[in-house]
């Protein structure tokens, strides 16, 4: 059963990857209180569900993070580690299903620290406030833009004074260790989100979010790939553009259709592009000077396709465009190459 892409509300920064999501390695490390519902729920996919008659020994079961009613001065907080360190452009504090028990206000602090410090050691660290204390609404996505160019690895979500938050999204741009990428002796996945690759445009992502294409690891199910709706006007194709972490020469490519069986593309092709100046709008991507890397090639269902001798060009390139004919789903695209 297909489900359309969740959350049709769109505000600039919400198109960017979620740096804190559980599926990219984000972790809820420590909370001041999680009496009614665990902190780990904050970073799960979806917006959370509500089951009217479900209760636990603690009280009502809720799909989110919820602290008990505070009877002393102070506020509650949760420390999180970003799965993908980077620059934060905005946060989504989603109080879905929390109506009479959502926090009245919230703020966000940030920290950059390398290694794996203990969660307890972070409580008294030198946090920087990146979102001031602002009023929340219940049962909705509270979207707040953030103007800060610094790179962060950890966040602290503060709620005032207590209550429940269903999900916490941290949208931004990955800032990897570029020195490490350039030191690598072998080929690296230049498209991977964890290395700084970014999906900058696609023509359709009805069933599967565009950023899924470059997430770490293999997809766990059909919902963790990029999938377009059924095309009714033929011939035609769907497409997606990935900005590589750094300009590089391409040595091999993997197109993975894992879990796509009755809905995989009939075929696919890959093109490369070198841009010396940043391009913000790819609406007219077809007019750019693309170079063919992989000619249109037939695909198989639920299969990892590896291409190396088939590649027609090496680059260097700054962007690649995957075209699928006529539509369908691809779980992952890996572009192995060497930084130029």
């Amino acid at each position: 059963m297909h489900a359309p892409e969740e959350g049709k509300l769109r505000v600039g920064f919400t198109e960017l990857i979620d740096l804190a999501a559980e599926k990219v390695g984000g972790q809820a490390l420590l909370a001041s209180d999680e009496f009614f519902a665990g902190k780990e729920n904050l970073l799960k996919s979806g917006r959370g569900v509500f089951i009217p008659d479900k209760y636990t020994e603690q009280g009502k079961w809720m799909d989110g993070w919820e602290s008990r009613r505070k009877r002393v001065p102070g506020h509650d907080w949760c420390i999180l580690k970003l799965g993908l360190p980077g620059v934060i452009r905005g946060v989504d504090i989603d109080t879905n299903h929390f109506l009479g028990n959502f926090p009245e206000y919230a703020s966000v602090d940030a920290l950059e620290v390398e290694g794996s410090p203990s969660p307890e050691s972070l409580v008294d660290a030198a946090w920087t406030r990146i979102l001031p204390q602002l009023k929340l609404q219940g049962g909705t996505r509270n979207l707040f833009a953030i103007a800060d160019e610094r790179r962060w690895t950890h966040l602290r979500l503060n709620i005032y004074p207590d209550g429940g938050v269903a999900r916490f999204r941290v949208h931004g741009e990955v800032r990897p260790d570029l020195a490490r990428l350039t030191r690598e002796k072998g080929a690296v996945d230049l498209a991977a989100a964890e290395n700084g690759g970014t999906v900058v445009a696609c023509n359709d992502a009805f069933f599967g979010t565009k950023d899924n294409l470059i997430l770490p690891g293999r997809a766990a199910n059909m919902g963790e790939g990029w999938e377009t709706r059924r095309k009714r006007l033929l011939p035609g194709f769907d497409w997606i553009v990935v900005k590589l972490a750094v300009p590089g020469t391409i040595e091999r490519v993997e197109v993975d259709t894992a879990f796509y069986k009755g809905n995989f593309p009939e075929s696919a092709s890959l093109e490369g592009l070198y841009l010396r100046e940043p391009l913000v709008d790819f609406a007219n991507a077809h007019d750019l000077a693309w170079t063919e890397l992989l000619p249109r090639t037939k695909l198989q269902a639920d299969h990892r396709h590896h291409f190396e001798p088939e590649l027609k060009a090496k680059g260097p390139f700054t962007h690649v465009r995957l075209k699928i004919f006529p539509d369908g789903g691809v779980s992952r695209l890996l572009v192995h190459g060497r930084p130029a």
Side-chain angles (χ1 to χ4, degrees):
M1 177 70 70
H2 286 300
E5 184 185 356
E6 162 297 301
K8 293 302 178 184
L9 181 60
R10 289 291 177 262
V11 174
F13 65 77
T14 64
E15 295 293 334
L16 300 174
I17 195 168
D18 181 2
L19 304 176
E22 181 183 64
K23 62 184 177 181
V24 301
Q27 296 177 281
L29 300 178
L30 188 68
S32 59
D33 189 293
E34 46 185 327
F35 186 86
F36 287 116
K39 60 187 181 301
E40 293 79 12
N41 293 329
L42 281 173
L43 308 183
K44 294 186 180 299
S45 60
R47 296 190 61 201
V49 298
F50 184 79
I51 303 176
D53 298 323
K54 186 172 182 178
Y55 289 84
T56 72
E57 290 186 1
Q58 305 294 77
K60 182 69 185 72
W61 179 90
M62 294 296 287
D63 191 1
W65 166 51
E66 185 182 4
S67 63
R68 75 191 82 196
R69 300 189 188 211
K70 191 169 290 297
R71 304 308 190 195
V72 296
H75 68 276
D76 287 318
W77 48 263
C78 181
I79 294 176
L80 308 113
K81 179 180 180 181
L82 299 180
L84 302 171
V87 175
I88 299 168
R89 300 302 182 192
V91 297
D92 179 354
I93 304 173
D94 190 353
T95 55
N96 196 35
H97 299 304
F98 288 94
L99 300 174
N101 51 351
F102 66 95
E104 187 176 9
Y105 297 92
S107 68
V108 178
D109 302 326
L111 181 70
E112 181 179 27
V113 57
E114 298 306 324
S116 301
S118 69
E120 293 75 17
S121 70
L122 298 176
V123 174
D124 296 321
W127 293 92
T128 298
R129 180 65 49 92
I130 61 172
L131 182 73
Q133 184 174 329
L134 296 173
K135 191 169 182 62
L136 300 181
Q137 297 181 40
T140 191
R141 296 170 63 190
N142 296 270
L143 302 173
F144 302 109
I146 292 178
D148 192 302
E149 295 298 323
R150 287 170 287 186
R151 176 183 185 269
W152 304 111
T153 59
H154 294 71
L155 293 184
R156 181 171 61 191
L157 172 63
N158 305 298
I159 57 174
Y160 304 86
D162 53 42
V165 176
R167 297 291 188 267
F168 182 50
R169 307 287 181 225
V170 182
H171 298 283
E173 300 161 10
V174 179
R175 289 292 185 270
D177 183 353
L178 292 180
R180 178 186 60 80
L181 282 182
T182 56
R183 287 197 306 267
E184 292 287 345
K185 295 182 179 180
V188 297
D189 184 1
L190 299 175
E194 59 192 313
N195 290 332
T198 307
V199 175
V200 293
C202 71
N203 73 311
D204 189 297
F206 189 83
F207 290 117
T209 307
K210 60 182 176 56
D211 292 321
N212 285 347
L213 191 70
I214 59 173
L215 292 186
R218 299 193 73 201
N221 53 57
M222 195 175 71
E224 293 193 357
W226 167 59
E227 184 184 359
T228 66
R229 72 191 79 201
R230 300 188 186 211
K231 193 172 296 299
R232 300 309 188 191
L233 296 176
L234 299 174
F237 60 86
D238 291 321
W239 55 270
I240 188 166
V241 177
V242 179
K243 181 180 182 294
L244 302 179
V246 292
T249 56
I250 297 172
E251 297 184 355
R252 64 182 186 277
V253 169
E254 178 180 329
V255 178
D256 189 355
T257 57
F259 300 103
Y260 292 105
K261 299 176 182 178
N263 49 355
F264 67 99
E266 181 274 335
S267 55
S269 66
L270 190 69
E271 300 166 318
L273 177 71
Y274 192 94
L275 291 179
R276 298 187 181 279
E277 298 294 333
L279 180 63
V280 176
D281 186 6
F282 276 83
N284 297 316
H286 299 307
D287 298 331
L288 300 172
W290 294 96
T291 298
E292 185 177 76
L293 276 76
L294 177 70
R296 182 171 175 177
T297 303
K298 190 171 180 59
L299 299 182
Q300 300 177 50
D302 192 23
H303 184 73
R304 300 176 75 172
H305 305 78
H306 297 276
F307 304 105
E308 188 168 351
E310 297 90 343
L311 300 182
K312 302 298 183 182
K314 299 293 186 182
F317 298 111
T318 58
H319 298 70
V320 294
R321 178 170 67 166
L322 176 67
K323 294 160 71 171
I324 57 174
F325 302 85
D327 52 39
V330 177
S331 65
R332 295 291 186 271
L333 172 67
L334 286 74
V335 181
H336 296 282
R338 298 175 187 271

